[in-house]
Amino acid sequence: MSSSVLARYLDPEVLSRVAGRGIEPRGLVMGNLAGAHRSPASGFAVEFAGHREYVPGDDPKHIDWRVYFTRDKYFIKQYEMETNFTCHLLLDISSSMRYGEGDEQKLLYASRMATVLGHSIVRQSDKVSLATFDTHIRGHIRPSNSMHQVVKMTQHLDEVEAIEKTNLAQCLSELAERMQRREIVMIFSDFFGELESLEAAIQRLRFSKHEVVLFQVMHHDELYFDMDGMIRFVGLEAAEQFLAQPEDLRAAYLEAVGAFNKQLEEISLRNGCDHVLVDTREDMASMFADYLNKRMRMPRR
């Protein structure tokens, strides 16, 4: 694959800002390799976690002799195991994500976000997968911690077409069935649709102990509606269009968008998810720096 395709999705400045911070799971994770993140399992590894009573068959070298001399009973030292984590990147490629031009197009911006995060996760030897969806799941790249995974991701992203409507809740539920427990799920979408059914899908993910991050990707026009003059509005997921003066619609539109975003934020809070509202006019490096700094200050779950 040509380097120009990689360059389309990977900005060196953004990569350096993300890689300098790293991405850590906020809860205990399950993995199948030795790594740098805490597992809910206990064993004999790095960080001391506590004691349990000795049972026949335990290795005597793990007996805590200081406790034996004070309590006259055998106890085994236990430690937190460290493991790798898997992060699933789920990208909405429905027609509404086509809005915007150039670098501010929502789908391109979200694709670049996913690629940068995927590169950073693989670089720290953790696994990443990518799934694209609209009414159905259109592509799925299985988890891997190989750097070639990033190449496969960009190849797929360069081929997607945003031409269908979206069925976010159904696709999330279907993808949840393919995941193990205690992983990270990052969703990139504008989340336009029925939020009640979306919440049910998020609850399905949280029931399996996944950490869920909602990256709500919106164009500056959608957030502020600061347009002037007579404009023809054309539906991206419906065959409707009309002429209107934006100033006649602005107040009602902003009220509706504000209520929608507030409802999505409340769903995130109720279900213990991160919600990140992204303006595609915003510098991506600064956006990631702000989020990752905030993430590092959050307590582990």
Side-chain angles (χ1 to χ4, degrees):
M1 185 179 70
S2 69
S3 59
S4 62
V5 177
L6 280 172
R8 175 176 166 83
Y9 297 100
L10 291 174
D11 184 324
E13 181 184 353
V14 180
L15 284 176
S16 64
R17 297 281 291 276
V18 175
R21 288 163 175 80
I23 298 169
E24 292 290 329
R26 290 176 54 204
L28 301 177
V29 300
M30 295 293 290
N32 56 9
L33 298 173
H37 318 291
R38 286 190 178 182
S39 165
S42 295
F44 305 108
V46 180
E47 187 172 344
F48 178 72
H51 293 91
R52 67 169 173 80
E53 194 168 344
Y54 174 86
V55 294
D58 285 335
D59 191 333
K61 72 179 181 181
H62 298 298
I63 294 174
D64 191 329
W65 295 106
R66 291 187 179 182
V67 174
Y68 170 77
F69 289 128
T70 57
R71 300 184 59 179
D72 199 29
K73 290 185 71 174
Y74 295 116
F75 285 87
I76 296 291
K77 293 180 181 179
Q78 285 194 301
Y79 299 83
E80 294 284 359
M81 293 181 67
E82 292 185 339
T83 183
N84 66 313
F85 74 78
T86 299
C87 181
H88 302 279
L89 307 175
L90 313 183
L91 176 63
D92 179 357
I93 60 168
S94 61
S95 294
S96 64
M97 294 293 286
R98 202 170 67 235
Y99 186 82
E101 295 182 354
D103 292 341
E104 294 184 12
Q105 187 203 51
K106 293 194 293 183
L107 180 56
L108 177 58
Y109 195 98
S111 298
R112 287 173 171 171
M113 289 176 63
T115 306
V116 168
L117 286 171
H119 181 279
S120 183
I121 291 165
V122 167
R123 192 168 179 232
Q124 62 189 38
S125 299
D126 293 304
K127 291 184 178 181
V128 68
S129 77
L130 172 69
T132 54
F133 62 90
D134 43 43
T135 55
H136 299 86
I137 297 169
R138 298 299 178 183
H140 183 232
I141 300 174
R142 296 174 61 83
S144 171
N145 60 359
S146 164
M147 192 55 71
H148 184 65
Q149 184 81 337
V150 180
V151 176
K152 290 163 61 176
M153 289 170 57
T154 54
Q155 285 177 327
H156 175 60
L157 291 172
D158 213 47
E159 296 169 353
V160 300
E161 294 185 56
I163 56 177
E164 299 288 344
K165 295 182 180 181
T166 186
N167 191 338
L168 181 57
Q170 178 179 315
C171 291
L172 290 183
S173 297
E174 184 177 339
L175 286 165
E177 296 176 0
R178 306 184 186 188
M179 300 175 189
Q180 304 298 318
R181 290 175 62 85
R182 297 182 185 271
E183 297 177 333
I184 302 177
V185 180
M186 295 184 172
I187 307 169
F188 305 84
S189 175
D190 50 25
F191 295 99
F192 293 157
E194 296 182 4
L195 293 183
E196 292 78 9
S197 57
L198 171 64
E199 182 168 19
I202 290 174
Q203 288 171 344
R204 166 72 175 81
L205 292 167
R206 296 293 292 129
F207 179 79
S208 296
K209 308 299 184 184
H210 297 306
E211 178 186 343
V212 179
V213 183
L214 309 180
F215 285 105
Q216 185 185 6
V217 182
M218 297 186 70
H219 192 276
H220 190 81
D221 293 347
E222 296 173 319
L223 290 171
Y224 299 100
F225 210 68
D226 51 358
M227 298 171 279
D228 297 308
M230 184 66 72
I231 294 179
R232 182 181 299 276
F233 293 90
V234 179
L236 290 175
E237 295 193 7
E240 298 179 3
Q241 54 181 287
F242 60 90
L243 282 170
Q245 294 276 4
E247 52 266 29
D248 296 336
L249 308 174
R250 185 172 291 119
Y253 172 86
L254 292 176
E255 182 180 355
V257 168
F260 178 85
N261 291 347
K262 181 180 179 181
Q263 186 179 357
L264 183 59
E265 176 68 23
E266 289 172 349
I267 288 172
S268 302
L269 290 172
R270 274 198 301 272
N271 294 281
C273 306
D274 288 350
H275 171 241
V276 185
L277 180 59
V278 180
D279 182 343
T280 60
R281 190 170 294 179
E282 183 180 3
D283 175 66
M284 189 179 295
S286 299
M287 180 275 299
F288 272 136
D290 290 344
Y291 170 65
L292 294 175
N293 286 337
K294 178 182 177 183
R295 184 182 175 88
M296 290 174 64
R297 295 193 298 267
M298 294 177 180
R300 283 181 175 267
R301 295 194 182 109

